[in-house]
């Protein structure tokens, strides 16, 4: 049975990819990258004329690149940061990415950037606000923006829409694409008590351009989006469902802390092939009582020495 | 203010403010006329305050990790507890306002300097107060040199292979990614030890003239002789080579001929390390 409509905004299925991280720079300058494509954290290369940009230049000459941002702050009530968008566009002119993505979130207000992905109340007010900003951003970037569902740890009482409804409406209003992070659906589903499968069944599948998989941390009373572990079985299961419903879209493994050596990273993302054949790896969710960090960003502070 | 704006200001103020969670929430509730238990949906496992805490705790831990990455030697010198105390105070005074994480630590050396007592005399005081500031300045410079525009794209075009002793001195310029520092402590060894995971020795006070540069994407840093430092500094600021030579001679109280003779020997080294280049 194949009832899926493949559209993806006309964007290609790039296959299996990983994030470009400074830990692997020297390996990648000397070895075949093996994976089909790379995702970069846009902010890490925007004002960077050092080794990172050199490696990026090399990788971009041999593999497709996607730009993934963390500071666009689409949901903030501050004015759009036009300087930021200008620099983002300049980087896009250099990298020629297949698409540009960021998150359905805000990172701060009153000029503060918390470097976190903060949740929005899912209201009609927020929807209008975000839709108008997405339209402006798309006009500036002259391409569709691809938005990712974040992991969230709180919900607002004022929310009248479910996140999948909010995203569907946003797609209708703006024509933006979706980056479906199935790990984030798993994390938020646990934290807020919704069924992750129901969420994935109810987003507009033809607008899903990319999928993220990652390993979260079980902090007992909540799940945290730590990107520092192998992908657990439950997340692979959601991945399998999402690929079935979308008809197959670009897949990216996120691993941002406790980053393994490159061959191990490649082996982890290649598990996706087995999953699509119906073989789910048996991996529990990592548990710890120690302080864990969500959305780790220190990997962006690349080492300047070897 | 729209409801969305109020909620965002309310939550941001709790996240970035120091203090006990319950106090921070109470103050924000009062200031923005918000009731946290009315705006945040409770669940069986967590109260609204516990949910907010996931964000406020994550904010600090995340940025501490970034500062540790930019200031590993300072972290080593102060020990993690004290280092974290300074970083937390820094983040309270100057909450991050840039999309770029490299701007996060930019004002940290100046913050450390400003946090010191106005006057102190003892050697112990110098070690306790000036050494961390010196180290922070050094590490910040390394971070900047690793990112700013350098000469690599020029080198890729095939330039830079000139025979150094045949040059015409009017074409000598300092690299755009050359940074010069004068410090009160010799810190090159300290930083190298930390980078190599070795136990560093705390240095004695002694003026130190430092040059930090990048060539072929590799950052290098060295202690220079005083005249070498003055020459590079003058060449960065003066219009030409001869003016820089005269400036150096004056600053070091030696004859210009001496400086010129020394330069003939040293310039090939300076070119090799990428401090200067021939246009
Ligand atoms: Fe993600």
């Amino acid at each position: 049975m194949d009832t899926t409509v493949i559209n993806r905004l006309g964007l290609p299925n790039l296959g299996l990819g990983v994030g470009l991280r400074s830990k692997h720079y020297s390996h990648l300058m000397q070895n075949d990258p093996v994976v089909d494509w790379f995702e970069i954290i846009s902010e890490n290369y925007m004002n960077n004329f050092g080794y990172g940009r050199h490696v990026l230049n090399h990788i971009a000459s041999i593999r497709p690149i996607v730009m993934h941002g963390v500071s666009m702050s689409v949901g903030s009530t501050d004015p759009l940061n036009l300087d930021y968008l200008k620099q983002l566009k300049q980087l896009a002119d250099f990298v020629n990415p297949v698409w540009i993505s960021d998150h359905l979130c805000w990172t701060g207000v009153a000029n503060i950037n918390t470097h976190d992905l903060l949740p929005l109340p899912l209201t009609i007010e927020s929807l209008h606000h975000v839709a108008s900003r997405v339209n402006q951003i798309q006009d500036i970037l002259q391409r569709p923006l691809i938005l990712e569902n974040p992991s969230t740890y709180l919900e607002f009482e004022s929310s009248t829409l479910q996140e999948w409804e909010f995203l569907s409406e946003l797609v209708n209003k703006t024509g933006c694409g979706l980056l479906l992070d199935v790990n984030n659906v798993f994390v938020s589903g646990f934290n807020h008590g919704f069924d992750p499968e129901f969420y994935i069944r109810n987003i507009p599948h033809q607008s899903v351009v990319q999928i993220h998989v990652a390993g979260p941390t079980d902090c007992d009373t909540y799940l945290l989006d730590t990107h520092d572990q192998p992908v657990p079985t439950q997340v692979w299961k959601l991945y399998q469902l999402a690929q079935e419903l979308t008809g197959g879209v670009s897949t990216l493994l996120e691993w941002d802390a406790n980053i393994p050596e490159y061959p191990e990273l490649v082996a982890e993302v290649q598990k996706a092939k087995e999953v699509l054949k119906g073989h789910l790896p048996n991996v529990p969710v990592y548990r710890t009582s120690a302080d864990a960090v969500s959305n780790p960003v220190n990997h962006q502070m690349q080492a300047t020495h070897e | 203010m729209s409801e969305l704006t109020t909620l965002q200001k309310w939550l941001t103020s709790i996240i970035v403010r120091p203090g006990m969670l319950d106090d921070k929430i109470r103050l924000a509730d009062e200031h923005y006329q918000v009731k946290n238990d009315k705006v945040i949906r409770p669940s069986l496992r967590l109260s609204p305050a516990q949910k907010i805490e996931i964000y406020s705790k994550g904010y600090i831990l995340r940025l501490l990790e970034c500062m540790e990455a930019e200031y590993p030697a300072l972290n080593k010198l102060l020990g993690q507890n004290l280092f974290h105390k300074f970083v937390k105070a820094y983040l309270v005074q100057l909450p991050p306002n840039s999309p770029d994480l490299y701007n996060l630590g930019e004002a940290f050396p100046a913050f450390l300097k400003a946090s010191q007592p106005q006057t102190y005399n003892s050697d112990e005081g110098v070690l306790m107060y000036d050494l961390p500031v010196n180290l922070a300045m050094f590490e910040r410079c390394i971070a900047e040199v690793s990112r700013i525009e350098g000469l690599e794209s020029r080198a890729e075009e095939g330039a830079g292979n000139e025979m150094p002793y045949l040059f015409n001195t009017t074409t000598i310029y300092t690299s755009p990614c050359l940074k010069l520092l004068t410090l009160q402590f010799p810190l090159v060894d300290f930083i190298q030890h930390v980078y190599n995971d070795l136990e560093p020795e705390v240095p004695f006070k002694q003026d130190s003239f430092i040059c930090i540069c990048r060539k072929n994407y590799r950052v290098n840093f060295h202690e220079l002789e005083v005249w070498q430092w003055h020459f590079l500094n003058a060449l960065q600021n003066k219009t030409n080579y001869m003016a820089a030579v005269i400036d150096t001679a004056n600053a070091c109280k030696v004859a210009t001929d001496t400086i010129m003779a020394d330069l003939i020997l040293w310039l090939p080294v300076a070119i090799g390390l990428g401090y200067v280049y021939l246009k």
Side-chain angles (χ1 to χ4, degrees):
Chain A
M1 179 195 70
D2 188 6
T3 54
T4 52
V5 188
I6 300 175
N7 170 324
R8 294 188 227 112
L9 280 60
L11 294 167
N13 178 355
L14 299 173
L16 302 180
V18 295
L20 180 61
R21 299 293 178 261
S22 57
K23 168 160 182 169
H24 303 131
Y25 282 171
S26 53
H27 180 92
L28 287 168
M29 291 305 281
Q30 288 158 31
N31 296 279
D32 187 284
V34 188
V35 296
D36 302 319
W37 63 284
F38 285 87
E39 187 183 73
I40 61 164
I41 301 296
S42 312
E43 291 79 2
N44 197 12
Y45 298 90
M46 276 165 51
N47 288 306
N48 185 347
F49 301 92
Y51 189 50
R53 188 172 274 237
H54 177 60
V55 176
L56 174 59
N57 202 14
H58 166 68
I59 294 293
S61 71
I62 53 173
R63 287 292 188 278
I65 300 276
V66 162
M67 278 168 51
H68 183 52
V70 290
S71 281
M72 194 179 273
S73 206
V74 170
S76 175
T77 51
D78 271 0
L80 271 182
N81 186 339
L82 298 178
D83 271 352
Y84 170 83
L85 289 169
K86 196 174 142 197
Q87 288 176 28
L88 193 66
K89 195 156 185 291
Q90 278 168 358
L91 181 66
D93 290 341
F94 174 78
V95 173
N96 198 17
V98 193
W99 57 83
I100 298 177
S101 63
D102 205 295
H103 301 80
L104 175 68
C105 74
W106 55 289
T107 60
V109 75
N111 212 25
I112 291 175
N113 186 334
T114 63
H115 295 283
D116 199 357
L117 310 171
L118 302 168
L120 281 162
L122 302 176
T123 61
I124 298 295
E125 184 197 352
S126 298
L127 178 64
H128 285 302
H129 177 68
V130 173
S132 117
R133 285 164 67 97
V134 169
N135 281 325
Q136 286 177 67
I137 292 163
Q138 295 185 139
D139 284 348
I140 293 171
L141 297 179
Q142 294 173 303
R143 54 168 85 223
L145 179 64
I146 312 303
L147 279 178
E148 174 178 354
N149 56 300
S151 278
T152 60
Y153 310 100
L154 62 79
E155 288 182 305
F156 293 95
E157 283 287 10
S158 56
S159 290
T160 51
L161 297 164
Q162 300 291 344
E163 194 170 276
W164 58 89
E165 294 170 330
F166 192 97
L167 287 170
S168 304
E169 287 300 321
L170 192 61
V171 164
N172 287 338
K173 283 180 182 300
T174 65
C176 72
L178 298 178
L179 195 179
L180 174 64
D181 187 318
V182 288
N183 167 60
N184 289 348
V185 177
F186 174 62
V187 166
S188 296
F190 178 88
N191 291 344
H192 309 312
F194 65 73
D195 175 7
E197 284 197 20
F198 188 83
Y199 181 117
I200 290 171
R201 286 185 194 282
N202 283 282
I203 51 165
H205 303 124
Q206 70 282 2
S207 296
V208 177
V209 171
Q210 182 188 336
I211 294 179
H212 270 169
V213 291
T217 295
D218 180 347
C219 302
D220 195 31
T221 48
Y222 59 95
L223 292 183
L224 201 64
D225 181 29
T226 47
H227 296 178
D228 61 346
Q229 301 296 329
V231 181
T233 311
Q234 295 99 312
V235 173
W236 281 126
K237 215 172 149 206
L238 296 175
Y239 172 72
Q240 191 182 27
L241 175 68
Q243 287 294 48
E244 191 184 304
L245 294 169
T246 55
V249 299
S250 310
T251 299
L252 187 116
L253 169 68
E254 291 188 294
W255 203 318
D256 293 327
N258 189 20
I259 302 177
E261 295 303 324
Y262 193 73
E264 197 187 320
L265 186 75
V266 171
E268 184 66 17
V269 73
Q270 285 183 338
K271 286 181 187 169
K273 288 183 192 163
E274 288 302 303
V275 169
L276 293 186
K277 289 184 206 153
H279 308 140
L280 289 166
N282 189 8
V283 181
V285 176
Y286 175 74
R287 285 183 71 106
T288 181
S289 54
D291 272 342
V293 182
S294 63
N295 311 323
V297 289
N298 57 328
H299 63 85
Q300 293 185 49
M301 318 296 288
Q302 76 203 48
T304 51
H305 49 93
E306 281 166 24
Chain B
M1 229 190 309
S2 76
E3 202 188 317
L4 187 57
T5 310
T6 308
L7 275 182
Q8 292 191 346
K9 290 194 169 166
W10 169 77
L11 186 57
T12 304
S13 78
I14 299 170
I15 290 173
V16 303
R17 211 171 263 163
M20 304 291 286
L21 180 72
D22 288 343
D23 297 340
K24 298 197 293 180
I25 293 175
R26 187 173 42 76
L27 282 171
D29 278 9
E30 282 168 18
H31 191 264
Y32 293 101
Q33 304 284 297
V34 166
K35 286 197 168 76
N36 67 83
D37 51 351
K38 292 280 185 293
V39 296
I40 306 287
R41 206 170 276 172
S43 63
L44 285 176
R45 289 185 290 255
L46 295 170
S47 68
Q50 286 170 316
K51 292 178 184 210
I52 294 170
E53 189 180 22
I54 298 173
Y55 286 99
S56 63
K57 224 163 78 176
Y59 167 75
I60 285 292
L61 291 175
R62 192 176 301 112
L63 297 183
L64 282 173
E65 285 187 343
C66 291
M67 291 292 280
E68 283 176 11
E70 183 164 317
Y71 293 100
L74 183 62
N75 188 15
K76 182 81 194 173
L77 175 78
L78 296 177
Q80 203 182 49
N81 268 341
L82 188 56
F83 179 73
H84 281 185
K85 265 186 198 155
F86 277 116
V87 173
K88 284 177 185 173
Y90 171 64
L91 293 173
V92 168
Q93 195 174 91
L94 294 164
N97 62 7
S98 165
D100 192 337
L101 276 169
Y102 264 80
N103 295 332
L104 181 70
E106 191 179 9
F108 194 49
F111 168 83
L112 286 177
K113 176 100 189 117
S115 72
Q116 297 175 340
Q118 292 294 318
T119 50
Y120 50 85
N121 287 318
S122 66
D123 285 353
E124 209 178 308
V126 170
L127 209 57
M128 196 150 71
Y129 301 121
D130 290 339
L131 181 56
V133 176
N134 277 230
L135 204 46
M137 286 164 60
F138 200 156
E139 294 200 280
R140 178 63 201 175
C141 244
I142 292 173
E144 286 175 4
V145 167
S146 74
R147 301 250 304 186
I148 53 182
E149 205 128 16
L151 291 169
E152 285 91 354
S153 56
R154 185 180 170 273
E156 278 160 17
E157 285 159 21
N161 292 323
E162 301 88 346
M163 297 300 277
Y165 42 87
L166 295 178
F167 52 69
N168 169 359
T169 53
T170 59
T171 66
I172 296 184
Y173 292 88
T174 53
S175 163
C177 63
L178 169 84
K179 285 195 180 262
L180 299 165
L181 281 176
T182 51
L183 301 174
Q184 298 157 272
F185 297 86
L187 290 171
V188 169
D189 275 359
F190 190 95
I191 290 184
Q192 290 289 15
H193 273 65
V194 173
Y195 283 2
N196 294 318
D197 266 333
L198 300 169
E199 208 45 49
E201 260 180 57
V202 176
F204 292 106
K205 192 170 181 293
Q206 183 197 314
D207 285 347
S208 172
F209 296 82
I210 300 293
C211 169
I212 303 161
C213 195
R214 194 180 79 224
K215 191 181 180 196
N216 295 335
Y217 300 108
R218 276 175 186 278
V219 175
N220 62 68
F221 45 86
H222 295 279
E223 189 151 345
L224 298 181
E225 287 182 36
V226 183
W227 70 268
Q228 294 168 338
W229 189 94
H230 275 291
F231 173 74
L232 291 175
N233 188 46
L235 196 59
Q236 263 182 343
N237 300 309
K238 292 284 168 188
T239 46
N240 64 62
Y241 180 85
M242 258 330 283
V245 169
I246 293 166
D247 212 63
T248 307
N250 290 339
C252 301
K253 298 190 172 55
V254 285
T256 51
D257 287 355
T258 311
I259 298 293
M260 287 174 78
D262 286 343
L263 275 170
I264 287 179
L265 291 176
W266 184 64
L267 273 176
V269 177
I271 290 172
L273 290 166
Y275 301 165
V276 297
Y277 71 105
L278 310 178
K279 226 176 211 171

